[in-house]
Amino acid sequence: MLVAAAVCPCPPLLVPRVAAGAAPELAAARAACTDALGVLAASRPDLLVVVGPAGQSGRGPYPEGAPGSFHGFGVDLDVRLGEGVSLPGAAERPLPPSLAVAAWLLERTDWSDAPVEGLGVGEALEAERCVQAGAGIVTRADRVALLVMGDASACRTLKAPGYLDKRAAGFDAEVARALGAADVAALKALDAELAYELKVSGRAPWQVLAGAAEGADLGGALLYEDAPYGVGYVVAAWS
């Protein structure tokens, strides 16, 4: 059963050492992520599953202790998923960037409240399969919590990675509303084709959350919503 969920953005810039001089620009987002993880800890889960985008095909699952790094972003910083010991050969399958950011968030908040596993979801995964994956996750333990990583559109401004698309603001507003209200039906109904055109990385992970939350009757709170680099970042907590 799903007892809580935290939704966080996954730009490597969330990590101050990666952002360097721009680090203060995401201070509010980091603080909101800390608050969201506090909701997870307060739910006293038996298992925490971290879900994030992992390219077009997806990767994982990742066991506790799976390693990740930010070397590809020019920073000598390594992370591990949870407190477990990395298994032999784990370095050959490092965490995708979204889960590496999640691992950094967990380390930053000294997560030790439950075992942790990771799942990299293909950004093109059909909504029905996302929902099915979420429904399967919550059968793993009596009390399951989710940390769901993903960004909204990358088309909010002229300088955004995807340039300006006038549809982006409306799409992001609906995402923020749905995540803040724990609106499972609205998340299931997100337009996958439009999300792809707007370079949304979070659509599939959010629909995994929707599948996991079916029947859980959780309430939501929107903790942060902004687009400081023309990319929509949303933080929400469900409990």
Side-chain angles (χ1 to χ4, degrees):
M1 173 182 179
L2 186 70
V3 295
V7 178
C8 296
C10 59
L13 288 174
L14 204 61
V15 180
R17 285 180 59 185
V18 176
E25 296 175 14
L26 287 179
R30 290 185 201 98
C33 290
T34 298
D35 291 342
L37 265 65
V39 172
L40 297 186
S43 73
R44 303 182 68 179
D46 300 319
L47 173 67
L48 174 64
V49 179
V50 182
V51 180
Q56 293 303 303
S57 59
R59 307 174 215 164
Y62 295 89
E64 184 161 28
S69 80
F70 295 94
H71 299 175
F73 301 96
V75 176
D76 185 15
L77 176 62
D78 297 306
V79 292
R80 286 190 306 162
L81 189 63
E83 295 188 321
V85 177
S86 298
L87 299 174
E92 299 174 6
R93 288 182 63 252
L95 296 171
S98 66
L99 297 190
V101 173
W104 177 81
L105 286 172
L106 292 170
E107 288 184 4
R108 182 172 181 261
T109 55
D110 295 321
W111 179 269
S112 59
D113 299 87
V116 183
E117 296 178 3
L119 177 64
V121 182
E123 293 178 38
L125 191 65
E126 299 89 343
E128 183 177 356
R129 292 183 62 192
C130 293
V131 170
Q132 290 173 349
I137 287 172
V138 293
T139 66
R140 299 287 312 283
D142 289 339
R143 299 177 62 82
V144 177
L146 288 184
L147 173 53
V148 183
M149 310 298 291
D151 300 338
S153 73
C155 303
R156 292 277 291 272
T157 66
L158 292 174
K159 294 183 178 181
Y163 197 65
L164 176 64
D165 189 313
K166 293 182 179 179
R167 301 171 296 175
F171 183 93
D172 288 359
E174 172 58 13
V175 165
R177 186 207 65 77
L179 291 173
D183 189 337
V184 170
L187 292 176
K188 288 182 178 180
L190 289 175
D191 187 328
E193 183 175 351
L194 178 58
Y196 174 79
E197 292 174 0
L198 296 177
K199 302 185 184 302
V200 176
S201 71
R203 189 273 309 171
W206 299 330
Q207 290 183 324
V208 171
L209 169 60
E214 188 71 55
D217 195 27
L218 300 181
L222 183 65
L223 305 181
Y224 175 90
E225 193 277 321
D226 202 357
Y229 304 110
V231 181
Y233 299 146
V234 178
V235 181
W238 294 16
S239 62

